[in-house]
Amino acid sequence: QKEVEQNSGPLSVPEGAIASLNCTYSDRVSQSFFWYRQYSGKSPELIMSIYSNGDKEDGRFTAQLNKASQYVSLLIRDSQPSDSATYLCAVNRDNAGNMLTFGGGTRLMVKP
Amino acid sequence: EAGVTQFPSHSVIEKGQTVTLRCDPISGHDNLYWYRRVMGKEIKFLLHFVKESKQDESGMPNNRFLAERTGGTYSTLKVQPAELEDSGVYFCASSQFGGPEAFFGQGTRLTVV
């Protein structure tokens, strides 16, 4: 079992729809959770971080965390073609800046 | 403010040669990390510096890889001698001291032929 699992996709949604990206992790002591967006050939860009159970909203993005179920998700409202990218889920065992464990990423395609 | 910068962006070398990758972190970031993504796999941790000290090098694959961060500023990752399986994209990231949010560079794509 991988430490951080994501469906590789591609996940295809029409423009304006809600895109839902999911991630599960195996290490119960994980404390901090991140979503990175990566365009082809570019650097992973941090778009959301979440540390406690519940929802965290930032613009069109909402991160959801459920530690009991070891599940973190990212919702993108009003999806735009420019949101088409690979979304990486990353998990940290603490909040002190140690190593991240990444999932393989989900490729999102938003069709006009 | 400049982000994390890496040099070179691409490198093609022959098996057995040496390659040195460089990373300049965001100014003021004490934490510096090296990660690697090989074809078809997820991004994997290599090592973590806090200033000039190696905090965690548990991800370094073998002793052909040597990372340094003299003076606690930029870092280099040397692969000597390179093998075919070393091909991949090497990412550098940095974060503030005590801060979990890491910011990544654009990566160096290494191809060993």
Side-chain angles (χ1 to χ4, degrees):
Chain A
Q1 181 190 11
K2 289 184 179 180
E3 293 183 65
V4 179
E5 297 225 41
Q6 296 181 256
N7 188 318
S8 61
L11 172 66
S12 183
V13 300
E15 183 175 357
I18 295 175
S20 177
L21 305 161
N22 304 313
C23 171
T24 58
Y25 60 94
S26 61
D27 191 346
R28 285 196 166 274
V29 303
S30 298
Q31 294 292 321
S32 47
F33 307 85
F34 306 92
W35 284 99
Y36 285 84
R37 177 176 63 198
Q38 188 178 23
Y39 295 111
S40 181
K42 302 296 184 181
S43 62
E45 175 191 5
L46 180 64
I47 55 172
M48 288 290 283
S49 57
I50 187 166
Y51 306 101
S52 55
N53 282 327
D55 294 1
K56 178 182 177 182
E57 185 175 319
D58 183 1
R60 295 187 296 112
F61 299 101
T62 298
Q64 299 174 316
L65 175 61
N66 184 325
K67 289 187 178 181
S69 300
Q70 295 175 237
Y71 175 94
V72 58
S73 64
L74 178 70
L75 301 178
I76 306 175
R77 288 181 300 282
D78 188 23
S79 295
Q80 301 297 308
S82 58
D83 295 326
S84 299
T86 296
Y87 289 80
L88 302 166
C89 173
V91 173
N92 194 321
R93 296 191 92 222
D94 56 37
N95 294 325
N98 293 315
M99 60 172 279
L100 293 172
T101 301
F102 281 87
T106 298
R107 184 176 165 216
L108 173 66
M109 297 174 59
V110 181
K111 298 191 173 181
Chain B
E1 179 183 310
V4 177
T5 54
Q6 294 186 243
F7 305 95
S9 57
H10 294 86
S11 180
V12 180
I13 62 170
E14 293 184 351
K15 177 182 172 181
Q17 289 186 321
T18 297
V19 64
T20 300
L21 314 180
R22 172 171 169 146
C23 169
D24 286 74
I26 293 172
S27 178
H29 280 192
D30 288 333
N31 291 308
L32 187 150
Y33 314 85
W34 285 97
Y35 289 85
R36 177 174 73 171
R37 185 168 199 168
V38 298
M39 182 77 75
K41 301 287 187 180
E42 61 272 18
I43 297 173
K44 289 280 195 183
F45 168 80
L46 295 178
L47 92 160
H48 171 203
F49 284 100
V50 177
K51 297 185 179 179
E52 67 274 11
S53 299
K54 290 178 184 175
Q55 178 78 8
D56 181 356
E57 52 185 327
S58 62
M60 295 287 263
N62 52 61
N63 59 10
R64 295 186 294 103
F65 290 75
L66 175 65
E68 295 179 323
R69 192 183 182 194
T70 306
T73 55
Y74 71 91
S75 174
T76 58
L77 179 65
K78 181 190 287 188
V79 184
Q80 179 183 28
E83 299 289 346
L84 298 178
E85 64 264 25
D86 300 332
S87 296
V89 181
Y90 290 77
F91 290 104
C92 176
S94 70
S95 70
Q96 293 179 329
F97 182 75
E101 297 185 348
F103 299 90
F104 280 73
Q106 84 280 9
T108 294
R109 181 174 294 277
L110 175 64
T111 303
V112 183
V113 296

